[in-house]
Amino acid sequence: MAVVDGGEGPGAVAARLTGRPVSGERARSGGLAEVTLAGGPTVMVKRGDGPGAVRAEVAGLRWLAAARAVPVPEVLGHDERWMVTELIRTGRPDAGAATRFGRALAALHAAGAPAFGAAPPGGPRDAWIGRAPMRDEPGTDWPHWYAEHRVLPYLREAVDRGTLLPGEAAVIERVCERLPELAGPPEPPARLHGDLWSGNVLWGADGGVRLIDPAAHGGHRETDLAMLHLFGCPYLDRIVAGYQETAPLADGWEERIGLHQLFPLLVHTVLFGRSYAEQALATSRNFADM
């Protein structure tokens, strides 16, 4: 049985947090492990990446679940360092499941949020997106909130690290200045997954889709869709079609995809380096002088 920092391995964690004995465990990458409870199911055990990460993820999962739209793994137990959730058995992507997922994603967004940047109930304002810190600070105006709390913090971090030059950063700052005229018609705050790349979309063996690893917050619904486009997703055209059937997007949404991609591109610039900085710059140049 693997032993992690503090002398406690995933099996011991699962036993402590669920109150049930364990009959086996299997390590996975990324701080994950599958643990089989004695006489019961196999569960997923995950170690948080930083302070508040588990609390933020648990609050996000429960907030998404409360919308009764796209299923998420049930949280079976957690503390400040670890969480235990239902294990999702995966299958193959399916066109019909993609259409249903698009409809359900529209319903999730429509469940709404108190404000742009609103944290899930019980979640910390100092949250995470992947392994990057993310501040959930409420705001009422999406263009200004998005610039101040999503784009500019990671832009400054990238410049401080030398991954972006100050002259390059000026191009992205110009886009932030122009966001009020580029953002399209006003939208109410949506209930976002917040980190909706294809790896966080699980195609279940039962034909349904589940969402994992949220960075949930109140935001613009086009942001989730833009992230699906950024990193690709099976049957993306069917997902969008299902979404449009349920809650049609405002005219011009496809032209705005790049605006919403600036946030994840700059997060990836901070985490992974220059190649993502080049993508962020190329995207920004398309909007800086429109």
Side-chain angles (χ1 to χ4, degrees):
M1 185 176 290
V3 175
V4 190
D5 45 279
E8 189 177 37
V13 167
R16 173 170 59 82
L17 293 178
T18 66
R20 297 178 59 179
V22 166
S23 60
E25 69 174 80
R26 181 170 72 91
R28 290 176 49 173
S29 61
L32 300 172
E34 294 180 15
V35 174
T36 302
L37 303 179
T42 299
V43 298
M44 183 68 74
V45 178
K46 180 178 180 180
R47 188 173 72 250
D49 288 321
V54 169
R55 189 154 60 95
E57 184 168 345
V58 168
L61 286 169
R62 289 175 171 164
W63 194 44
L64 299 184
R68 299 185 180 277
V70 187
V72 299
E74 180 184 0
V75 178
L76 303 174
H78 73 95
D79 59 16
E80 287 299 309
R81 182 71 173 166
W82 298 88
M83 62 185 295
V84 180
T85 65
E86 170 192 8
L87 176 68
I88 305 301
R89 299 295 182 186
T90 57
R92 299 183 64 178
D94 172 81
T99 302
R100 293 190 296 273
F101 168 48
R103 295 171 184 151
L105 182 62
L108 172 65
H109 290 164
F116 297 109
R125 285 194 176 183
D126 291 318
W128 296 77
I129 178 166
R131 295 184 177 180
M134 182 183 78
R135 175 75 174 173
D136 283 332
E137 192 67 42
T140 57
D141 173 76
W142 184 79
H144 292 97
W145 170 83
Y146 182 66
E148 182 178 355
H149 297 292
R150 288 298 180 263
V151 176
L152 293 176
Y154 301 97
L155 180 63
R156 297 184 189 110
E157 180 72 14
V159 171
D160 289 345
R161 291 173 179 238
T163 312
L164 272 169
L165 300 175
E168 295 172 327
V171 177
I172 300 174
E173 290 169 344
R174 170 64 176 153
V175 177
C176 288
E177 292 169 0
R178 301 196 62 226
L179 272 170
E181 63 188 277
L182 296 172
E187 294 256 356
R191 189 171 304 194
L192 296 191
H193 176 278
D195 192 8
L196 198 58
W197 70 289
S198 62
N200 288 339
V201 178
L202 296 189
W203 303 83
D206 61 358
V209 170
R210 272 77 163 182
L211 300 182
I212 62 169
D213 297 349
H217 62 279
H220 196 301
R221 61 190 182 131
E222 291 177 13
T223 301
D224 268 353
L225 292 166
M227 193 172 291
L228 284 175
H229 280 80
L230 179 60
F231 297 110
C233 189
Y235 297 105
L236 182 54
D237 58 335
R238 297 293 296 269
I239 294 171
V240 171
Y243 194 104
Q244 292 275 46
E245 289 174 12
T246 305
L249 295 158
D251 290 345
W253 73 272
E254 290 173 295
E255 287 71 40
R256 293 188 292 272
I257 286 174
L259 290 176
H260 294 268
Q261 289 177 343
L262 281 179
F263 167 46
L265 282 172
L266 287 168
V267 170
H268 279 69
T269 296
V270 169
L271 292 176
F272 305 116
R274 181 66 190 182
S275 63
Y276 289 102
E278 298 285 355
Q279 286 183 255
L281 284 168
T283 297
S284 296
R285 290 184 181 113
N286 292 329
F287 293 99
D289 299 307
M290 287 179 63

